[in-house]
Amino acid sequence: MSPLFVMKIYGSRRFVVLLMVVLAVLGFLAAESRAAPRAEDWLGKWVLIENESSNLDLYGTVSLDFRSVEAGKVLLVETWGEGRSHAETLDLALGGAVNEVPIAAKVFASNVFMGLRREIGGMRRIRAGWEKEFQVLALQENVPIQSSQGKRDLKSRSTISLDDTGTIMTWTISRPTRPSDQPLSFRLKKEGYRDSFYMELADDWKIESLLPEQAALITLQGVVNREAPLLYFIYPETWDFRFTDEILDFYKEKKQFTFTKIASLRRALAAFEGKVHKYVVWDPEVRTSLIVAFTVAGLEDAIVVTEDLIPLVEEFGLKQVEDFRGRFTGMNDFEIYTWAYNAYWDRCNKDAIVWMGGEHGNRMKPGVADFGMYHRCFFTDLSTDAKDPAEADEYKLADKLFSEMNEMGMCFGWHSYKKDKERDHVKLASSHLIRVSGLHTLPNMSFNTQVPLSPGFEFKNNHNVKDGVRYVPEKKVYIAAVQTDALGIGAWTRPGRGEIPYAWQVTPNWLWMGPSILEMFYDQGTPNDLFIGGLSGPGYMYSKAIPRDKLPMALRKSREYMETLDLSVFEIMDYSEGASVEGNPDLPQSVVDVYFEEMPDAVGFLNGYAPAYTFVHQDGRAMLSYDYYMAPGRPEAEVRADLLELAAINEVRPYFLLLHVRQWSDISRVKAIFDSLGPAFEVVSLDVFLKMAAEDPTFENYTRPEDWMPEE
């Protein structure tokens, strides 16, 4: 388990402080080590990062192969192109001597489409030396060339530098005849560094169709990515998380990854031959056997297969470690998971668990299975509905599992759409101080968790509130639009982003689950995109369900995330007391006080998902609930009428209308609705909205009564 995962899991402040000190010391020692690069850091072949380099016309690529590197001598092979290529060996004495390299071919390799040719039989005359020993190599070169106006010597200066990580090399070539702001620049990486594979998965998750093969692939991903980020999937357009192709492009453009496409399970097994050795057989007649098989796959580094796939995996030398054919016939889920608990629970991670819920019947979408394997989790989809007598045994076992986990642990995945509700699932997890991170379809996290932030990257939000400035509202209707449900399943990649002020709820645990995903979002953010924290705690939790004496600890962890992610607004949602409309989504003053106390630097707070009714003006700050939920299927004309009516009912100005946009609405649609409202309405950034609401709180303070009890 990585130190970062441990740091995020445990709630003990003493543990976290101690671990941070240890990591700081290790970081200092690593920095000291990087400050003294070695000759061997240069050895080997360095290949082009095409999207970060100058265009190479015909050849398309270039590589440098350092065969020998010493303080006074370097031997390297310069190769332009692959297949159709040109190579030259440079055996260079360093320190001022002129090295003569015979020219055997006329090709002017760096710019073949310029009308220049080198003089065959002439000499490349090169002076080379270390500008910084084993970190920056400089070369001064004269080469005889022929242009349309005759012969001349062409001068150039090259520097080849190695970055602090020893994995990226930058080769820059400047010539006095070339504009100084357009040198040739090539970025290269160590051969094999961040060389990975990708596959495209089909939109077919039926047991009788492609689920067996795609489940095998996802567990193959869980096995091979334990070593390094090696296998990535592009999911279909209909997948909950819409960003898998965009993240792949980001990794290629900003993270120096090179991806090779694999087209089938057979080719994947061939590509990773020698890296996977075991398989588990699940029973298509008993769907739950696949969920148990995921547990075994994580514990044994195995892939899951049905009977039909056994010949294929044995062809590649895999050995069977478990066979569930017929094992669970006639058993219900409670009985199956009780068996699995007795067989595997003691070996499983107690800091994380996977609820492999979501779709039911003959379908399953196990996108998060690779990540559960990565953390050696127990997999289940037990009911968490405390009020369903038919599922009482499942509920008791679910409660037992959560109770035996470590506090501040993680529940990856999602509840079963057949057995219970989201609110049941999150309530039970929160009651044991377990953080939920959905969904069951969350993809590629065994890959993403191993791609760190770019060196020197810091999260910078697009704040609009300035220190020392009073934000005094005018007599109008102010609207702030917010989208939750995680950036990846929302409208981030859809039309219109950046055209109007918009707030986006960040999934805080992605800071360690997929740090470069958050880097991508922050990198793409426009001045109109404001990131906010949530949801209720350091992950998806219900604050009213968290044991009251544990809530401050949970919010201190949230505050740490907010500081790192540069967030100034925090969102709360709590359906622990019933459904969004029929239940009570409001917060008692005792809970509100904890948020205000534990997050002193927050500009303000939000509450709800559908409309809620908690409104608080306290200590110069405001907590507002959503006054409107923009459902994706509601016609634009009716949304407009709703907003106009809300403004008529709330007739005092300013009126602060906090609006939650469901993730499937494109921002272009939202903007069109806002544009139709007229000049009495103004859309503003959420942080300014909260500041103005605190300045002129025209809402009535309301919190849920402390002694409120649901009606029987």
Side-chain angles (χ1 to χ4, degrees):
M1 188 184 302
S2 72
L4 185 56
F5 180 72
V6 174
M7 183 175 71
K8 301 304 178 190
I9 288 292
Y10 287 95
S12 166
R13 179 172 293 275
R14 181 179 299 175
F15 175 82
V16 171
V17 171
L18 177 60
L19 185 56
M20 290 179 70
V21 170
V22 171
L23 292 174
V25 171
L26 291 175
F28 174 77
L29 293 175
E32 288 295 297
S33 173
R34 289 195 301 269
R38 304 163 301 171
E40 51 264 38
D41 295 338
W42 290 67
L43 295 176
K45 187 175 181 180
W46 298 77
V47 296
L48 189 71
I49 305 170
E50 185 175 352
N51 62 284
E52 298 183 20
S53 302
S54 299
N55 182 269
L56 276 174
D57 300 324
L58 178 71
Y59 286 129
T61 189
V62 65
S63 66
L64 297 177
D65 188 354
F66 286 84
R67 306 286 178 84
S68 175
V69 176
E70 302 173 17
K73 186 176 181 180
V74 169
L75 175 64
L76 73 149
V77 178
E78 199 180 272
T79 303
W80 304 83
E82 294 176 343
R84 185 179 185 180
S85 61
H86 172 74
E88 292 187 10
T89 298
L90 306 181
D91 190 355
L92 305 175
L94 310 183
V98 176
N99 300 273
E100 293 191 339
V101 180
I103 298 173
K106 67 179 182 180
V107 62
F108 189 66
S110 66
N111 301 78
V112 296
F113 292 145
M114 291 175 65
L116 304 174
R117 66 183 188 274
R118 301 186 306 171
E119 182 182 328
I120 296 176
M123 294 287 181
R124 296 175 62 181
R125 293 177 173 83
I126 303 171
R127 295 180 185 268
W130 295 109
E131 285 191 356
K132 295 182 180 178
E133 189 170 47
F134 304 134
Q135 188 168 8
V136 181
L137 181 65
L139 298 87
Q140 302 280 352
E141 179 172 0
N142 281 358
V143 57
I145 64 164
Q146 179 81 43
S147 72
S148 60
Q149 294 187 352
K151 295 181 180 180
R152 63 171 295 168
D153 280 349
L154 185 64
K155 296 180 179 180
S156 66
R157 183 180 188 276
S158 300
T159 58
I160 305 173
S161 59
L162 197 60
D163 76 349
D164 288 342
T165 68
T167 54
I168 303 298
M169 181 176 282
T170 302
W171 178 18
T172 302
I173 304 172
S174 57
R175 298 190 286 261
T177 51
R178 188 174 184 83
S180 60
D181 62 346
Q182 286 293 319
L184 299 175
S185 180
F186 306 112
R187 293 261 287 171
L188 305 102
K189 64 177 185 176
K190 231 3 173 353
E191 187 175 44
Y193 175 68
R194 292 188 171 174
D195 284 351
S196 301
F197 297 87
Y198 81 98
M199 299 184 70
E200 296 177 355
L201 298 184
D203 188 16
D204 184 347
W205 303 93
K206 294 180 180 178
I207 291 175
E208 65 273 18
S209 188
L210 289 185
L211 176 61
E213 181 173 321
Q214 299 199 138
L217 285 168
I218 292 170
T219 51
L220 176 66
Q221 180 186 46
V223 174
V224 301
N225 284 358
R226 198 177 294 286
E227 173 187 327
L230 297 177
L231 180 58
Y232 186 94
F233 294 131
I234 294 179
Y235 281 77
E237 291 183 3
T238 53
W239 201 248
D240 290 324
F241 293 86
R242 298 168 168 172
F243 56 16
T244 53
D245 54 346
E246 193 162 350
I247 292 173
L248 184 83
D249 291 340
F250 182 76
Y251 286 162
K252 290 190 291 187
E253 293 168 5
K254 297 293 181 71
K255 299 291 182 174
Q256 297 84 46
F257 274 91
T258 301
F259 288 94
T260 300
K261 186 175 182 178
I262 300 175
S264 67
L265 175 59
R266 171 178 290 279
R267 292 185 179 181
L269 289 168
F272 295 110
E273 192 166 10
K275 294 184 182 295
V276 58
H277 307 284
K278 304 173 186 177
Y279 70 89
V280 184
V281 187
W282 63 281
D283 187 349
E285 299 299 318
V286 183
R287 180 183 184 276
T288 305
S289 70
L290 174 55
I291 299 177
V292 177
F294 287 137
T295 297
V296 180
L299 294 174
E300 298 288 346
D301 290 335
I303 68 170
V304 301
V305 300
T306 53
E307 184 176 39
D308 293 343
L309 293 174
I310 291 175
L312 174 62
V313 296
E314 290 191 344
E315 179 183 329
F316 286 91
L318 276 65
K319 305 297 183 185
Q320 185 183 114
V321 294
E322 187 57 272
D323 187 348
F324 291 140
R325 287 175 291 181
R327 176 77 59 86
F328 305 126
T329 301
M331 297 170 65
N332 62 32
D333 281 2
F334 168 71
E335 293 168 333
I336 294 171
Y337 288 128
T338 299
W339 181 93
Y341 173 89
N342 292 328
Y344 305 118
W345 178 251
D346 286 347
R347 295 173 57 193
C348 290
N349 186 358
K350 302 304 185 294
D351 292 318
I353 193 169
V354 173
W355 239 257
M356 188 50 70
E359 289 74 16
H360 53 88
N362 69 336
R363 294 195 305 153
M364 186 184 297
K365 293 184 175 181
V368 78
D370 65 301
F371 199 49
M373 290 177 60
Y374 186 81
H375 288 295
R376 304 196 189 280
C377 292
F378 188 87
F379 285 71
T380 185
D381 75 338
L382 287 161
S383 172
T384 56
D385 185 352
K387 296 181 180 180
D388 184 356
E391 302 289 0
D393 288 338
E394 286 198 31
Y395 175 83
K396 290 177 183 177
L397 183 55
D399 186 60
K400 179 180 176 66
L401 292 175
F402 281 137
S403 72
E404 294 180 4
M405 291 179 63
N406 296 323
E407 287 187 346
M408 295 291 284
M410 298 295 301
C411 179
F412 305 125
W414 206 231
H415 72 102
S416 167
Y417 296 150
K418 178 183 180 181
K419 296 180 177 182
D420 54 10
K421 303 294 185 183
E422 174 183 336
R423 59 181 179 268
D424 302 318
H425 180 62
V426 180
K427 178 181 179 179
L428 182 60
S430 299
S431 72
H432 292 285
L433 206 62
I434 302 300
R435 300 174 283 172
V436 174
S437 181
L439 297 167
H440 58 295
T441 50
L442 184 62
N444 295 311
M445 296 311 283
S446 65
F447 192 106
N448 297 328
T449 196
Q450 299 184 75
V451 184
L453 298 172
S454 299
F457 180 83
E458 293 184 8
F459 293 99
K460 297 294 184 183
N461 205 350
N462 299 301
H463 300 293
N464 300 277
V465 170
K466 309 298 182 185
D467 290 339
V469 176
R470 285 184 63 195
Y471 292 86
V472 180
E474 300 175 22
K475 301 301 182 181
K476 60 172 61 176
V477 179
Y478 290 99
I479 297 179
V482 182
Q483 183 170 123
T484 60
D485 293 300
L487 289 158
I489 61 175
W492 185 267
T493 60
R494 313 297 286 181
R497 185 175 58 80
E499 294 181 6
I500 58 173
Y502 224 71
W504 305 87
Q505 182 224 317
V506 172
T507 307
N509 288 295
W510 285 5
L511 186 58
W512 57 271
M513 291 169 61
S516 287
I517 301 177
L518 289 184
E519 179 182 341
M520 180 187 78
F521 289 131
Y522 275 69
D523 188 61
Q524 295 174 348
T526 73
N528 270 334
D529 296 319
L530 179 74
F531 300 108
I532 67 171
L535 191 58
S536 303
Y540 185 14
M541 307 178 82
Y542 290 159
S543 53
K544 290 184 291 187
I546 296 172
R548 192 59 54 87
D549 62 331
K550 304 290 187 182
L551 183 57
M553 178 181 71
L555 296 188
R556 284 193 288 272
K557 175 59 66 177
S558 294
R559 189 172 68 205
E560 291 176 21
Y561 285 144
M562 297 222 1
E563 290 170 355
T564 301
L565 294 169
D566 194 25
L567 308 175
S568 63
V569 177
F570 194 77
E571 181 176 17
I572 303 148
M573 167 185 162
D574 194 314
Y575 287 157
S576 63
E577 294 172 345
S580 57
V581 175
E582 297 85 358
N584 193 329
D586 292 306
L587 307 176
Q589 186 65 47
S590 58
V591 169
V592 171
D593 288 342
V594 180
Y595 281 99
F596 275 80
E597 180 179 345
E598 294 297 337
M599 297 185 175
D601 298 325
V603 168
F605 303 90
L606 316 183
N607 180 57
Y609 189 89
Y613 312 99
T614 300
F615 289 85
V616 177
H617 181 242
Q618 182 171 315
D619 301 332
R621 293 182 290 166
M623 175 184 288
L624 276 72
S625 292
Y626 289 111
D627 250 5
Y628 192 74
Y629 169 81
M630 187 183 290
R634 192 160 180 80
E636 293 179 18
E638 294 186 22
V639 174
R640 177 180 181 274
D642 292 342
L643 298 178
L644 290 170
E645 185 174 15
L646 274 171
I649 293 170
N650 295 277
E651 59 186 1
V652 178
R653 300 292 180 265
Y655 166 43
F656 299 100
L657 201 171
L658 183 62
L659 186 147
H660 181 201
V661 185
R662 191 63 190 268
Q663 72 268 24
W664 296 297
S665 288
D666 292 347
I667 301 173
S668 55
R669 171 179 183 259
V670 178
K671 182 178 184 298
I673 294 170
F674 290 166
D675 287 346
S676 72
L677 294 174
F681 291 75
E682 182 178 349
V683 182
V684 295
S685 178
L686 178 61
D687 51 353
V688 172
F689 176 93
L690 288 166
K691 274 290 193 181
M692 290 193 298
E695 182 72 26
D696 191 358
T698 55
F699 50 83
E700 291 187 358
N701 274 24
Y702 174 81
T703 57
R704 194 210 74 180
E706 297 288 344
D707 58 356
W708 180 88
M709 295 293 291
E711 296 180 5
E712 294 297 332

